[in-house]
Amino acid sequence: MKCPFCGHTEDRVVDSRVGREGEFIRRRREPFDRQKLRGSILKSCEKRSVGVQAVDDVVADIEARLHERAEKEITSLEMGEIVMEHLQKLDQVAYVRFASVYRQFKDISQFMDEVKGLIKEGDKTKAVKPVKPAPKK
């Protein structure tokens, strides 16, 4: 598959760095794969009341957002954050499912922390009540 941004067709090491614990990390250039993105979102939304069209709309929005960027390469970290941003709006259970895999939750406490964060976000939006206009005299 060819990258829609740079036209690169080879999958080879283009960058290396040393990780936190001294391990050597080899980063590869991987082409954007719309179907892989769609599949991961569909998997997160499995058995939820999220329609396929809604998933396709999210994928199209993400792809459009990538095309609008000045920088044509994106890190997997940035991509994951964009997907989670969309899933949080689409379906919170799908969001937590995706986050648990993407962020590699090691135990239930990490899962609970993510859920608590969603609850806090929900409380913030409930706390902001619309101002009612004053009655006309």
Side-chain angles (χ1 to χ4, degrees):
M1 178 175 243
K2 185 169 83 172
C3 175
F5 300 117
C6 68
H8 197 278
T9 57
E10 293 179 36
D11 184 20
R12 61 184 177 88
V13 175
V14 294
D15 188 20
S16 299
R17 62 184 169 87
V18 177
R20 276 187 246 161
E21 297 176 16
E23 74 276 12
F24 201 73
I25 298 171
R26 295 170 48 175
R27 296 170 53 200
R28 298 183 183 273
R29 175 188 303 259
E30 294 184 16
F32 174 77
D33 187 342
R34 189 177 209 280
Q35 292 299 23
K36 182 177 177 183
L37 174 63
R38 184 177 184 270
S40 65
I41 294 172
L42 280 171
K43 189 142 187 101
S44 297
C45 295
E46 200 170 279
K47 297 183 182 178
R48 299 294 301 154
S49 60
V50 176
V52 174
Q53 186 58 53
V55 171
D56 288 341
D57 291 346
V58 166
V59 171
D61 187 57
I62 291 171
E63 190 171 19
R65 194 164 158 186
L66 295 176
H67 283 291
E68 291 169 0
R69 289 169 44 104
E71 190 173 325
K72 296 303 177 188
E73 289 191 25
I74 186 168
T75 66
S76 59
L77 178 66
E78 290 174 288
M79 182 62 121
E81 293 298 324
I82 291 171
V83 172
M84 288 195 307
E85 178 185 311
H86 280 76
L87 283 176
Q88 189 172 8
K89 295 173 191 169
L90 183 66
D91 185 272
Q92 291 184 338
V93 172
Y95 164 80
V96 173
R97 285 177 177 171
F98 184 88
S100 69
V101 173
Y102 173 70
R103 292 187 176 152
Q104 300 176 352
F105 291 175
K106 302 288 185 226
D107 56 34
I108 194 72
S109 66
Q110 289 178 304
F111 190 87
M112 290 303 297
D113 289 344
E114 199 68 41
V115 172
K116 286 176 186 175
L118 286 173
I119 292 170
K120 279 185 182 178
E121 285 289 320
D123 290 345
K124 286 179 187 175
T125 58
K126 288 178 188 173
V128 179
K129 295 181 181 176
V131 177
K132 293 181 183 177
K136 293 183 180 180
K137 294 182 182 180

